[in-house]
Amino acid sequence: MDVKAAPNGVATIEDRILRITGYYGYYPGYSSQKSTSRSSVTRCKPGTNCPSSHTGISRQLSPLSVTEDSSAPILELQSRGSSGVCGHRVERQNRSGDDGMQTHPENSSQGNRLKARCLSCTAVLLKAVWGLLIILSVSSSWVGTTQIVKITYKNFYCPFFMTWFSTNWNIMFFPVYYSGHLATAQEKQSPMKKFRECSRIFGEDGLTLKLFLKRTAPFSILWTLTNYLYLLALKKLTATDVSALFCCNKAFVFLLSWIVLKDRFMGVRIVAAIMAITGIVMMAYADNFHADSIIGVAFAVGSASTSALYKVLFKMFLGSANFGEAAHFVSTLGFFNLIFISFTPVVLYFTKVEHWSSFAALPWGCLCGMAGLWLAFNILVNVGVVLTYPILISIGTVLSVPGNAAVDLLKQEVIFNVVRLAATIIICIGFLLMLLPEEWDEITLRFINSLKEKKSEEHVEEMTDSSVHLRSRSRVNGTVSIPLT
């Protein structure tokens, strides 16, 4: 059947389709030449020689091979009969192997990233759990210490002897630390080696007699004054008021650090210090400036001041200390207290200032409970810095205020009026403001900017999703025509 050629040189409908679809092996007259080439190829039975087949193919292909590029696709199509499928399979396998080799390191890197993220999330979660336990333990130990002191005062009022007795328990701090070292450390050290290692807080030469007297004496005196004034305040005020006033030590630490250590000035901490002072005045006003109330407030503020001075001087002369060095230092304070301050309660006993009938009449249960909880509080404060975030330790301290308030309400020892409640809240807010980091303003701005960027990205994604949806709808509703000529 003769086919009339079109004006553009395309003879058949098949040629038109190949030209429109852009087949790379297309040329005018492709279909007619293809049919003739198929008719010229003879099939041979297996085991027979067909010498004319190759010549026939070459004769039919020779007129079509205008160029090498145009003849190559035809030869490829003709050779697909037996080996084309196998060639494609091998090529696909090679490509899949190459893709597997490329994706394998990517998958391994993604797996490592996921493992690292899981480990970091686990560490943060574990640290938060430890922080919660430390907060509850710190606040509970401080509340227990304060309440036991109030109970002891009902039958036994010797505040300096109680201070001296509880400070002697600090000697057990380093043995407790070393016991934990033996239980947890893989490479265990002898007690003397560990003691010498931790004594580096006093200098490269370790603890000498000169450094023992020079460095330990002022800190031991400040430690004793802090606890003694705190116990004196508990005689005049309720446990809630004393614990709230003692929280002012954070404000005093900031003021002393700003003056003595030349720390960075922060307006928010100045506001917190002003709030602390305002709370102190309001606490004194809560009882209409009664004599006992004013004296009790003075004792509590004095205790907070000596505690702040202790911390500032420690940072100035000794710097920062790890858990072992802190345990060594506190135990050294206990030894100094036992050796050099033991004469003070003896003098007070014989001068009838703090007198008791016999040692058998002493409330040893309350004394040992108070000293044990005080030691537990000091250990938890230092352990908490290692196990969790230091800010949580301060939060545990401030939570002792509502804890003491709850106990006082149950015991019906305090009646909260508006002024006392407002003073307590103001002091606690000031304490929490002191916990803000130095770069709190920059951190807040970064957080706000990240929220804005996140919102803008979500808005852009919504716009792109809506545009893609509109395009897909227009494609579904529209028609596409392919011309044949």
Short mmCIF file of all heavy atoms in Angstrom, two decimals, residues 148-182:
data_model
loop_
_atom_site.label_atom_id
_atom_site.label_comp_id
_atom_site.label_asym_id
_atom_site.label_seq_id
_atom_site.Cartn_x
_atom_site.Cartn_y
_atom_site.Cartn_z
N ILE A 148 12.99 21.31 113.39
CA ILE A 148 13.56 20.60 114.54
C ILE A 148 14.17 21.60 115.52
O ILE A 148 14.10 21.41 116.75
CB ILE A 148 14.60 19.58 114.06
CG1 ILE A 148 13.90 18.41 113.38
CG2 ILE A 148 15.45 19.06 115.22
CD1 ILE A 148 14.83 17.37 112.81
N VAL A 149 14.76 22.67 115.01
CA VAL A 149 15.29 23.71 115.91
C VAL A 149 14.17 24.33 116.73
O VAL A 149 14.31 24.55 117.95
CB VAL A 149 16.04 24.78 115.10
CG1 VAL A 149 16.40 25.97 115.97
CG2 VAL A 149 17.30 24.19 114.48
N LYS A 150 13.04 24.60 116.08
CA LYS A 150 11.90 25.16 116.82
C LYS A 150 11.39 24.18 117.88
O LYS A 150 11.00 24.59 118.98
CB LYS A 150 10.77 25.49 115.84
CG LYS A 150 11.11 26.57 114.82
CD LYS A 150 11.24 27.94 115.45
CE LYS A 150 9.90 28.49 115.85
NZ LYS A 150 9.99 29.87 116.38
N ILE A 151 11.40 22.90 117.58
CA ILE A 151 10.96 21.90 118.56
C ILE A 151 11.96 21.82 119.71
O ILE A 151 11.58 21.70 120.89
CB ILE A 151 10.78 20.54 117.88
CG1 ILE A 151 9.62 20.59 116.87
CG2 ILE A 151 10.53 19.44 118.90
CD1 ILE A 151 9.50 19.35 115.99
N THR A 152 13.25 21.89 119.40
CA THR A 152 14.29 21.79 120.44
C THR A 152 14.21 22.97 121.41
O THR A 152 14.49 22.81 122.62
CB THR A 152 15.67 21.72 119.79
OG1 THR A 152 15.68 20.68 118.81
CG2 THR A 152 16.76 21.44 120.81
N TYR A 153 13.83 24.14 120.89
CA TYR A 153 13.77 25.33 121.75
C TYR A 153 12.72 25.22 122.85
O TYR A 153 12.75 25.98 123.82
CB TYR A 153 13.48 26.56 120.90
CG TYR A 153 14.71 27.13 120.21
CD1 TYR A 153 14.59 28.12 119.25
CD2 TYR A 153 15.98 26.68 120.54
CE1 TYR A 153 15.70 28.65 118.62
CE2 TYR A 153 17.10 27.19 119.91
CZ TYR A 153 16.95 28.18 118.95
OH TYR A 153 18.06 28.69 118.35
N LYS A 154 11.79 24.31 122.73
CA LYS A 154 10.76 24.19 123.75
C LYS A 154 11.33 23.68 125.07
O LYS A 154 10.83 24.02 126.15
CB LYS A 154 9.65 23.26 123.27
CG LYS A 154 8.88 23.80 122.06
CD LYS A 154 7.81 22.81 121.61
CE LYS A 154 7.03 23.36 120.42
NZ LYS A 154 5.99 22.41 119.94
N ASN A 155 12.38 22.86 124.99
CA ASN A 155 12.97 22.30 126.21
C ASN A 155 14.44 22.65 126.39
O ASN A 155 14.98 22.46 127.49
CB ASN A 155 12.83 20.76 126.20
CG ASN A 155 11.39 20.32 126.12
OD1 ASN A 155 10.52 20.90 126.77
ND2 ASN A 155 11.13 19.29 125.33
N PHE A 156 15.09 23.13 125.33
CA PHE A 156 16.54 23.35 125.40
C PHE A 156 16.89 24.54 124.51
O PHE A 156 16.68 24.50 123.29
CB PHE A 156 17.26 22.08 124.92
CG PHE A 156 18.76 22.16 124.98
CD1 PHE A 156 19.42 22.04 126.19
CD2 PHE A 156 19.51 22.36 123.83
CE1 PHE A 156 20.80 22.10 126.25
CE2 PHE A 156 20.88 22.42 123.89
CZ PHE A 156 21.53 22.30 125.10
N TYR A 157 17.39 25.60 125.14
CA TYR A 157 17.75 26.80 124.38
C TYR A 157 19.22 27.12 124.63
O TYR A 157 19.58 27.83 125.56
CB TYR A 157 16.86 27.99 124.80
CG TYR A 157 17.21 29.25 124.05
CD1 TYR A 157 16.96 29.36 122.69
CD2 TYR A 157 17.79 30.34 124.71
CE1 TYR A 157 17.29 30.52 122.01
CE2 TYR A 157 18.10 31.49 124.03
CZ TYR A 157 17.86 31.58 122.67
OH TYR A 157 18.18 32.73 122.00
N CYS A 158 20.07 26.56 123.78
CA CYS A 158 21.50 26.84 123.79
C CYS A 158 21.95 26.96 122.34
O CYS A 158 22.50 26.00 121.76
CB CYS A 158 22.28 25.74 124.51
SG CYS A 158 21.91 25.62 126.27
N PRO A 159 21.70 28.09 121.70
CA PRO A 159 21.94 28.19 120.26
C PRO A 159 23.39 28.01 119.86
O PRO A 159 23.67 27.40 118.83
CB PRO A 159 21.42 29.59 119.92
CG PRO A 159 21.42 30.34 121.19
CD PRO A 159 21.15 29.34 122.26
N PHE A 160 24.34 28.53 120.66
CA PHE A 160 25.73 28.38 120.24
C PHE A 160 26.19 26.94 120.37
O PHE A 160 26.94 26.44 119.52
CB PHE A 160 26.64 29.30 121.07
CG PHE A 160 28.02 29.42 120.48
CD1 PHE A 160 28.30 30.42 119.55
CD2 PHE A 160 29.04 28.55 120.83
CE1 PHE A 160 29.56 30.52 118.98
CE2 PHE A 160 30.30 28.64 120.28
CZ PHE A 160 30.56 29.65 119.35
N PHE A 161 25.78 26.27 121.44
CA PHE A 161 26.14 24.85 121.58
C PHE A 161 25.54 24.04 120.43
O PHE A 161 26.19 23.13 119.89
CB PHE A 161 25.64 24.31 122.93
CG PHE A 161 25.88 22.85 123.10
CD1 PHE A 161 27.12 22.37 123.47
CD2 PHE A 161 24.85 21.93 122.90
CE1 PHE A 161 27.35 21.00 123.62
CE2 PHE A 161 25.06 20.57 123.06
CZ PHE A 161 26.31 20.11 123.42
N MET A 162 24.32 24.36 120.04
CA MET A 162 23.70 23.66 118.91
C MET A 162 24.45 23.94 117.61
O MET A 162 24.64 23.03 116.78
CB MET A 162 22.23 24.09 118.79
CG MET A 162 21.37 23.67 119.99
SD MET A 162 19.75 24.48 120.04
CE MET A 162 19.02 23.83 118.56
N THR A 163 24.91 25.18 117.45
CA THR A 163 25.70 25.51 116.27
C THR A 163 27.02 24.75 116.26
O THR A 163 27.42 24.19 115.23
CB THR A 163 25.96 27.02 116.22
OG1 THR A 163 24.71 27.72 116.23
CG2 THR A 163 26.74 27.41 114.99
N TRP A 164 27.71 24.75 117.39
CA TRP A 164 28.99 24.05 117.48
C TRP A 164 28.82 22.55 117.26
O TRP A 164 29.61 21.92 116.56
CB TRP A 164 29.59 24.31 118.87
CG TRP A 164 30.82 23.51 119.17
CD1 TRP A 164 32.10 23.80 118.80
CD2 TRP A 164 30.88 22.30 119.93
NE1 TRP A 164 32.96 22.84 119.26
CE2 TRP A 164 32.24 21.89 119.96
CE3 TRP A 164 29.93 21.52 120.58
CZ2 TRP A 164 32.66 20.75 120.62
CZ3 TRP A 164 30.34 20.36 121.23
CH2 TRP A 164 31.69 20.00 121.25
N PHE A 165 27.76 21.98 117.84
CA PHE A 165 27.52 20.54 117.72
C PHE A 165 27.23 20.16 116.26
O PHE A 165 27.76 19.15 115.76
CB PHE A 165 26.36 20.14 118.63
CG PHE A 165 26.05 18.68 118.59
CD1 PHE A 165 26.83 17.77 119.30
CD2 PHE A 165 24.97 18.18 117.86
CE1 PHE A 165 26.55 16.40 119.27
CE2 PHE A 165 24.69 16.83 117.83
CZ PHE A 165 25.48 15.94 118.54
N SER A 166 26.41 20.93 115.59
CA SER A 166 26.08 20.62 114.20
C SER A 166 27.26 20.85 113.26
O SER A 166 27.42 20.12 112.26
CB SER A 166 24.87 21.46 113.75
OG SER A 166 25.18 22.84 113.80
N THR A 167 28.11 21.85 113.55
CA THR A 167 29.27 22.11 112.69
C THR A 167 30.29 20.98 112.81
O THR A 167 31.00 20.69 111.83
CB THR A 167 29.91 23.45 113.07
OG1 THR A 167 28.91 24.49 113.02
CG2 THR A 167 31.03 23.82 112.11
N ASN A 168 30.38 20.35 113.96
CA ASN A 168 31.31 19.22 114.11
C ASN A 168 30.95 18.07 113.18
O ASN A 168 31.84 17.29 112.79
CB ASN A 168 31.32 18.73 115.56
CG ASN A 168 32.03 19.70 116.49
OD1 ASN A 168 32.90 20.46 116.07
ND2 ASN A 168 31.67 19.68 117.77
N TRP A 169 29.71 17.96 112.83
CA TRP A 169 29.28 16.89 111.92
C TRP A 169 29.82 17.08 110.50
O TRP A 169 29.78 16.15 109.70
CB TRP A 169 27.76 16.80 111.89
CG TRP A 169 27.18 16.09 113.07
CD1 TRP A 169 27.43 16.37 114.39
CD2 TRP A 169 26.26 15.00 113.07
NE1 TRP A 169 26.72 15.53 115.20
CE2 TRP A 169 25.98 14.67 114.42
CE3 TRP A 169 25.62 14.29 112.07
CZ2 TRP A 169 25.11 13.66 114.78
CZ3 TRP A 169 24.74 13.27 112.42
CH2 TRP A 169 24.50 12.96 113.76
N ASN A 170 30.33 18.26 110.19
CA ASN A 170 30.92 18.49 108.87
C ASN A 170 32.15 17.63 108.62
O ASN A 170 32.56 17.45 107.47
CB ASN A 170 31.29 19.96 108.70
CG ASN A 170 30.08 20.86 108.58
OD1 ASN A 170 28.99 20.41 108.23
ND2 ASN A 170 30.26 22.13 108.88
N ILE A 171 32.74 17.13 109.69
CA ILE A 171 33.92 16.27 109.54
C ILE A 171 33.57 15.04 108.70
O ILE A 171 34.42 14.51 107.97
CB ILE A 171 34.46 15.86 110.93
CG1 ILE A 171 34.90 17.11 111.69
CG2 ILE A 171 35.61 14.88 110.81
CD1 ILE A 171 35.30 16.83 113.14
N MET A 172 32.32 14.60 108.76
CA MET A 172 31.91 13.39 108.04
C MET A 172 31.66 13.63 106.55
O MET A 172 31.34 12.68 105.81
CB MET A 172 30.66 12.80 108.68
CG MET A 172 30.89 12.27 110.08
SD MET A 172 29.46 11.42 110.75
CE MET A 172 28.34 12.80 110.95
N PHE A 173 31.79 14.86 106.10
CA PHE A 173 31.52 15.16 104.69
C PHE A 173 32.49 14.42 103.77
O PHE A 173 32.09 13.75 102.81
CB PHE A 173 31.60 16.68 104.47
CG PHE A 173 30.92 17.15 103.21
CD1 PHE A 173 30.49 18.45 103.10
CD2 PHE A 173 30.69 16.30 102.14
CE1 PHE A 173 29.87 18.91 101.95
CE2 PHE A 173 30.07 16.73 100.99
CZ PHE A 173 29.66 18.04 100.90
N PHE A 174 33.79 14.53 104.05
CA PHE A 174 34.76 13.88 103.18
C PHE A 174 34.66 12.35 103.23
O PHE A 174 34.76 11.70 102.18
CB PHE A 174 36.18 14.33 103.53
CG PHE A 174 37.22 13.82 102.58
CD1 PHE A 174 37.43 14.44 101.36
CD2 PHE A 174 37.99 12.71 102.90
CE1 PHE A 174 38.38 13.97 100.48
CE2 PHE A 174 38.94 12.22 102.03
CZ PHE A 174 39.14 12.86 100.80
N PRO A 175 34.46 11.73 104.38
CA PRO A 175 34.24 10.27 104.36
C PRO A 175 33.03 9.84 103.54
O PRO A 175 33.07 8.80 102.87
CB PRO A 175 34.07 9.92 105.84
CG PRO A 175 34.84 10.96 106.56
CD PRO A 175 34.66 12.20 105.76
N VAL A 176 31.96 10.63 103.58
CA VAL A 176 30.79 10.32 102.74
C VAL A 176 31.16 10.42 101.26
O VAL A 176 30.78 9.57 100.44
CB VAL A 176 29.62 11.25 103.09
CG1 VAL A 176 28.48 11.09 102.09
CG2 VAL A 176 29.12 10.97 104.50
N TYR A 177 31.92 11.47 100.92
CA TYR A 177 32.35 11.63 99.52
C TYR A 177 33.24 10.48 99.09
O TYR A 177 33.09 9.95 97.98
CB TYR A 177 33.08 12.96 99.38
CG TYR A 177 33.92 13.04 98.12
CD1 TYR A 177 33.34 13.20 96.87
CD2 TYR A 177 35.31 12.92 98.19
CE1 TYR A 177 34.11 13.25 95.72
CE2 TYR A 177 36.10 12.98 97.05
CZ TYR A 177 35.49 13.14 95.82
OH TYR A 177 36.26 13.19 94.68
N TYR A 178 34.17 10.06 99.95
CA TYR A 178 35.08 8.97 99.58
C TYR A 178 34.32 7.65 99.45
O TYR A 178 34.66 6.82 98.61
CB TYR A 178 36.19 8.85 100.61
CG TYR A 178 37.24 7.82 100.24
CD1 TYR A 178 38.15 8.08 99.22
CD2 TYR A 178 37.30 6.59 100.89
CE1 TYR A 178 39.10 7.14 98.87
CE2 TYR A 178 38.23 5.64 100.54
CZ TYR A 178 39.14 5.92 99.52
OH TYR A 178 40.08 4.98 99.17
N SER A 179 33.30 7.46 100.26
CA SER A 179 32.48 6.25 100.12
C SER A 179 31.77 6.22 98.77
O SER A 179 31.69 5.18 98.11
CB SER A 179 31.45 6.19 101.25
OG SER A 179 32.09 6.15 102.52
N GLY A 180 31.26 7.37 98.36
CA GLY A 180 30.67 7.45 97.03
C GLY A 180 31.69 7.22 95.92
O GLY A 180 31.37 6.63 94.89
N HIS A 181 32.92 7.70 96.15
CA HIS A 181 33.99 7.46 95.17
C HIS A 181 34.29 5.98 95.04
O HIS A 181 34.46 5.46 93.93
CB HIS A 181 35.24 8.23 95.60
CG HIS A 181 36.49 7.81 94.89
ND1 HIS A 181 36.74 8.13 93.56
CD2 HIS A 181 37.55 7.07 95.30
CE1 HIS A 181 37.90 7.61 93.20
NE2 HIS A 181 38.41 6.97 94.23
N LEU A 182 34.34 5.27 96.14
CA LEU A 182 34.60 3.83 96.10
C LEU A 182 33.46 3.07 95.43
O LEU A 182 33.67 2.04 94.78
CB LEU A 182 34.81 3.29 97.51
CG LEU A 182 36.09 3.72 98.24
CD1 LEU A 182 36.11 3.14 99.65
CD2 LEU A 182 37.34 3.33 97.48
#
